[in-house]
Each structure stands twice: as structure tokens, then as C-alpha cells.
Amino acid sequence: MEPHICVIPAAGLGTRFLPATKAMPKELIPVLDRPVIQWAVEEAVAAGAGEIVLVLAEGRNELAEHLRPNPSLERILIERGKHQELEAVRRAGSLARITVARQREPRGLGDAVLCAAAAVGDQPFLCMLPDDLSIADPPVLEQLRDAHRELGTPVLALMRVPNDQISRYGCADVVETRGRLHRIRGLVEKPPAGEAKSDLAVMGRYVLTPDIFAALRQTTPGALGEIQLTDGLSALLAKGDVWGVEFEGDLLDVGTPAGWLATSIRLARNDPRFREAVSGALAMAAA
Ligand code: G1P
């Protein structure tokens, strides 16, 4: 069965981007002309998702509001003849069906995914962390969807990272390689430097099967005292195959000020609407 739901955990405190995220979710920070959450949903839709399950903290509704229609704003834009703006607003509000699941406390990524269990039900689903934007053709989530179509198992995005960075990520130990596909035999969340079994980091894109929910219910707090998705996936390895895709293209960080700035400049230089402005600013800064 093709996954048609994408779970997007977005209940974090955004501590890596304070103070910008003091009163606003980090997924609303704009990159060029649209917020991070919209980039994420556009990638999910390209990978076949018709429904997005947003996992949000109690009382936070801004992300769902961005992705749903806003009739009063549309009315004003119609009255004022702002056709382009109207199109942009309508598009953001109609990319996919939006469902909200709540995470009551920040207990980790695994817990956030488990909060989506009732909304997802008994079917494979896509999952993505909106901290990175995909600059890839096809987009990274679509590459994973294609691998899942071929393999039928859970599939994770993998990227090789320098040795001194692997402790920031989940790390995959692999047993079999077919081109860019790796069959995984072990997964460790944030291994201490020197103990990592490989340089293959798990990146925030997944195709998951519904047995992950039972595994996560059994998962106890791990790295950082949190319920880790990596530990839930690790439990699945005892029962069946899990594959990773060393994807083609880039995932660019927008979850920190420095990453956001670098990503924004890179995207702006490739976009005819912004190229001139950003090149001019960079030339002035270099002068
Ligand atoms: C999460 C995952 C980790 C993954 C990382 C990718 O960690 O738990 O396995 O490698 O995203 O960005 P976080 O960055 O939330 O600490």
C-alpha cells in the first residue's frame, strides 16, 4: 500500500533558534517567501501525501492555521484586487488535508510519532522533521517512497557525515549494500564519539510501517532521557528488515540561525525572484 499520510512532529521548543522562537514555532520562520512548514508539506505532497498529521504542543495552532484556508483574509485580498497574493494564500491553505495530534509533554521524537498513532491507523506512513529542507530532484522523501515501494519495509534517509559529527545523529550499522540502499542491522541514537559503528547518519525523513507504534509503546527513555524514534526502529530490526537510502541531493539545515542564513542565501541565488537582490547584497558586503 502506498503511504498517503505524512506525520510531521512540530511540538519542539525551538531552543536552537531562541530568541526568535520565544513566542512563535520555529516551523513558521520564513525561508524566502514561505515558512519552513510549507516547504515541508510541499515535499510531503510531492511524495504522494494527501493528508498531513501535525504533532503539535497543547495550545499551539499556528502551523495548522497556516495550512488551512483563511476566508476572511481571502475576502480582503479579493476586494483589493490582490490576485497574486490571493493565489499564494489559497495554495498554502489547500496543499493537503490537515489533521492535528497533540503531544502533551516534550518527551522526545519517538513519543511525538506515537502521538500520531490514532490519526494514522494501520497503514504505512511518511514521517519528516521539518528542520531540514530538501534540495534534491526528486525530493528526498520521494526517493524514500520509491525505495519503500520496491522493498516494502521501513526506510530511513541516510547521509555520510564526518566522524566528529556522528554523535549529533542516529547512527546506522549496515550489513548489506545494493547501490544506494543499505540494509540496517543496528541503530544507535547519538553514539559517543569513537563508539559509532559507521559514518552513516539517520536524517529526518522516514517511511514507517504501523508496527512502529507497538515498538514505541515498549520503548523506554534513551539518549537525552527522551523516547527515541531510533530506539523504536532498533526494536523492529529483531522482527524484520529495515533499509536506509543514501539519498541523492542535499538536506539543508534551517533549524539554527547559521543554517537558516546559509540555506536562505543558497536558495535565493537559485531563484530568479531574489537572485539580483541577494547577489547585490553579497557584493556590497564583500566590498
Ligand atoms: C533527530 C533524530 C536523529 C536524527 C536527527 C536528524 O534528532 O532523533 O536520529 O539523526 O533528528 O536531524 P534531533 O536532531 O531531534 O536531536
Side-chain angles (χ1 to χ4, degrees):
M1 192 207 233
E2 287 278 307
H4 73 93
I5 290 182
C6 182
V7 173
I8 304 186
L13 296 172
T15 48
R16 295 188 302 152
F17 218 135
L18 283 167
T21 51
K22 181 166 171 263
M24 171 178 90
K26 67 174 173 194
E27 297 82 3
L28 272 193
I29 290 176
V31 176
L32 306 190
D33 64 345
R34 66 201 65 183
V36 165
I37 190 65
Q38 189 174 338
W39 288 90
V41 171
E42 286 170 354
E43 184 184 347
V45 169
E51 178 177 353
I52 304 295
V53 177
L54 291 175
V55 182
L56 302 177
E58 214 59 60
R60 300 309 296 259
N61 295 308
E62 302 95 325
L63 298 178
E65 279 166 19
H66 180 78
L67 297 166
R68 285 175 174 153
N70 182 338
S72 53
L73 176 58
E74 287 179 26
R75 212 174 311 117
I76 293 169
L77 294 173
I78 292 169
E79 281 166 18
R80 298 190 182 171
K82 302 230 173 239
H83 303 295
Q84 264 184 318
E85 291 82 353
L86 178 66
E87 270 325 294
V89 163
R90 282 193 171 148
R91 189 165 174 276
S94 61
L95 289 165
R97 182 170 164 219
I98 305 300
T99 303
V100 171
R102 296 291 177 186
Q103 186 183 29
R104 307 212 180 282
E105 290 167 73
R107 297 176 62 209
L109 177 59
D111 180 67
V113 172
L114 185 51
C115 292
V120 170
D122 191 23
Q123 55 182 315
F125 61 102
L126 310 167
C127 176
M128 68 190 295
L129 312 184
D131 266 1
D132 294 301
L133 301 193
S134 160
I135 308 300
D137 186 19
V140 177
L141 203 53
E142 203 174 322
Q143 295 180 39
L144 263 59
R145 193 265 329 257
D146 291 346
H148 171 77
R149 193 181 275 164
E150 186 183 330
L151 300 160
T153 68
V155 176
L156 328 178
L158 296 177
M159 185 176 85
R160 292 195 188 275
V161 300
N163 283 342
D164 61 343
Q165 285 177 31
I166 192 75
S167 352
R168 298 194 343 218
Y169 298 97
C171 174
D173 184 15
V174 304
V175 61
E176 179 190 345
T177 294
R178 295 186 203 157
R180 291 189 159 263
L181 301 179
H182 302 279
R183 188 156 63 84
I184 295 172
R185 76 166 149 214
L187 285 164
V188 178
E189 182 64 24
K190 301 190 174 42
E195 285 179 28
K197 289 272 174 35
S198 81
D199 62 350
L200 284 169
V202 177
M203 302 306 287
R205 301 286 190 284
Y206 311 82
V207 183
L208 299 172
T209 47
D211 50 353
I212 190 65
F213 297 125
L216 287 170
R217 281 189 196 100
Q218 304 291 320
T219 301
T220 50
L224 313 176
E226 297 180 341
I227 311 273
Q228 295 291 351
L229 178 58
T230 306
D231 294 343
L233 284 163
S234 193
L236 292 187
L237 290 171
K239 299 178 192 130
D241 289 350
V242 175
W243 285 78
V245 178
E246 211 182 319
F247 58 84
E248 289 184 68
D250 293 318
L251 284 178
L252 303 182
D253 176 32
V254 288
T256 61
W260 169 84
L261 191 58
T263 299
S264 300
I265 291 172
R266 181 163 161 192
L267 290 173
R269 292 185 89 162
N270 285 325
D271 187 321
R273 296 172 301 165
F274 303 104
R275 188 179 297 138
E276 217 175 294
V278 78
S279 299
L282 291 172
M284 277 169 71

